[in-house]
Each structure stands twice: as C-alpha cells, then as structure tokens.
Amino acid sequence: MNSMTLTFDAKIENEVFARTSGVAFLMPLNLSTEAMMEIKTVLAEAIVNAILHGYQNRQEGKITLSMSISDEKELTLIVEDDGVGMEDVLLAMTPMYTSCKEQERSGMGFTIMETFLDSLEVQSAAGEGCRIIGKKQLKQYG
Ligand SMILES: Nc1ncnc2c1ncn2[C@@H]1O[C@H](COP(=O)(O)OP(=O)(O)OP(=O)(O)O)[C@@H](O)[C@H]1O
Ligand SMILES: [Mg+2]
C-alpha cells in the first residue's frame, strides 16, 4: 500500500499542479502512456468540476486529492471539495447533463471519468460539498 494526500486552493491555476502531481505519484509504476493519459484526464475533470461547480469559480476554498495504490495495484483516487454540492447526484452523472449550458459545457465530465475508471462513486448533497471516489485496476498496464 502506498498513498498520498494533497490539499490545494481551488484556483484554476492549480489544476495543472494537482493533476501532474497525481500523475507523478504513479510514475514509479511505469504505466503505459495510455493509462497515464486516462488518469490525468480523470483528475482534470474532477478538479475542474470542484473549482467551477463546487466553488462556483470563486477561486477560493480547498480541494483535497488523495491517491492510494493497494498491494494488488488497484488505484483509488478521491477528489473532495467543500462547496455547494449537488441535490441530485444521478441527474448530475447523466451523460450530457450540465447545469452550465450557457457556458458551453458539454456535461460529459462524469461520463469521461466513468469511461476511464473501473468504478466511480459520487457522494454529495446540497450544501455538503462533493467527494468522488474512483477506482482503477492498474495491474494490466504495468
Ligand atoms: N464538485 C461538484 N460540486 C457541485 N456540483 C458538481 C460538481 N461536479 C459536478 N457537478 C454538477 O454535475 C454536473 C455534471 O458534471 P460534468 O462534469 O459531467 O459536466 P460539466 O462539468 O457540466 O461539463 P463538462 O465537464 O463536460 O465541461 C455539473 O454541471 C454540475 O452541475
Ligand atoms: Mg465537468
């Protein structure tokens, strides 16, 4: 088992820092470029969601990224914010659903995350922030 936790300000300029730090944590596993790209994309989608939706792009608040790799090489990644949360998680996860149509978002973030993960759990309620828990078996990539 190996794990890390990173807490950073919910500013859009920190998205690259957090995403590349997450990927750097996995570097010793020598994963394929494809697997690294998939994980990087999941991290980007989750972090941007926390900044734009959770904290409504106010550029304040904290986001915590935690990653762990089990002895069986299963990755667990958790992205947490303490923002506005969601009333209806299932609706939010529906492909092409977005609460920001006017900002030309496609509503595909959760769908993309699900595509690149083995499982995705979204824990949220209105006013209670949001925690996403993704799992991905890395054995076949290493
Ligand atoms: N961390 C969060 N806090 C509050 N609401 C969220 C959070 N993440 C997602 N949501 C809600 O879930 C909806 C769907 O998210 P998703 O990432 O699938 O699409 P999007 O962000 O709207 O568009 P895209 O990711 O394609 O640019 C968002 O529009 C928002 O309403
Ligand atoms: Mg999104």
Side-chain angles (χ1 to χ4, degrees):
M1 170 84 164
N2 186 22
S3 65
M4 65 81 126
T5 299
L6 190 66
T7 299
F8 54 96
D9 288 353
K11 296 177 191 288
I12 199 69
E13 72 245 42
N14 287 337
E15 185 267 317
V16 175
F17 160 70
R19 146 164 68 88
T20 51
S21 301
V23 166
F25 174 69
L26 300 175
M27 223 83 106
L29 295 175
N30 283 316
L31 302 176
S32 64
T33 313
E34 183 198 4
M36 290 297 245
M37 288 299 296
E38 291 179 359
I39 294 161
K40 201 190 278 187
T41 302
V42 169
L43 290 171
E45 293 292 341
I47 293 164
V48 170
N49 275 356
I51 296 169
L52 294 189
H53 303 304
Y55 294 114
Q56 301 178 305
N57 213 2
R58 289 195 306 266
Q59 309 293 301
E60 58 186 38
K62 299 275 184 197
I63 298 170
T64 298
L65 164 68
S66 313
M67 291 173 75
S68 64
I69 305 156
S70 71
D71 295 339
E72 291 75 36
K73 279 208 173 178
E74 186 184 42
L75 167 69
T76 301
L77 67 84
I78 301 177
V79 177
E80 279 182 272
D81 67 67
D82 199 18
V84 296
M86 291 167 238
E87 236 161 65
D88 188 338
V89 171
L90 281 180
L91 174 67
M93 292 178 77
T94 305
M96 292 170 64
Y97 170 82
T98 179
S99 53
C100 311
K101 275 213 185 71
E102 64 284 359
Q103 285 164 42
E104 292 178 22
R105 308 214 70 87
S106 58
M108 289 303 286
F110 281 129
T111 306
I112 290 167
M113 289 186 244
E114 282 185 308
T115 303
F116 291 149
L117 293 166
D118 297 330
S119 70
L120 176 68
E121 192 185 331
V122 180
Q123 301 174 341
S124 186
E128 309 253 302
C130 176
R131 175 191 295 131
I132 70 129
I133 305 171
K135 291 187 187 284
K136 188 178 181 69
Q137 177 51 252
L138 300 178
K139 229 176 235 164
Q140 67 265 35
Y141 297 100

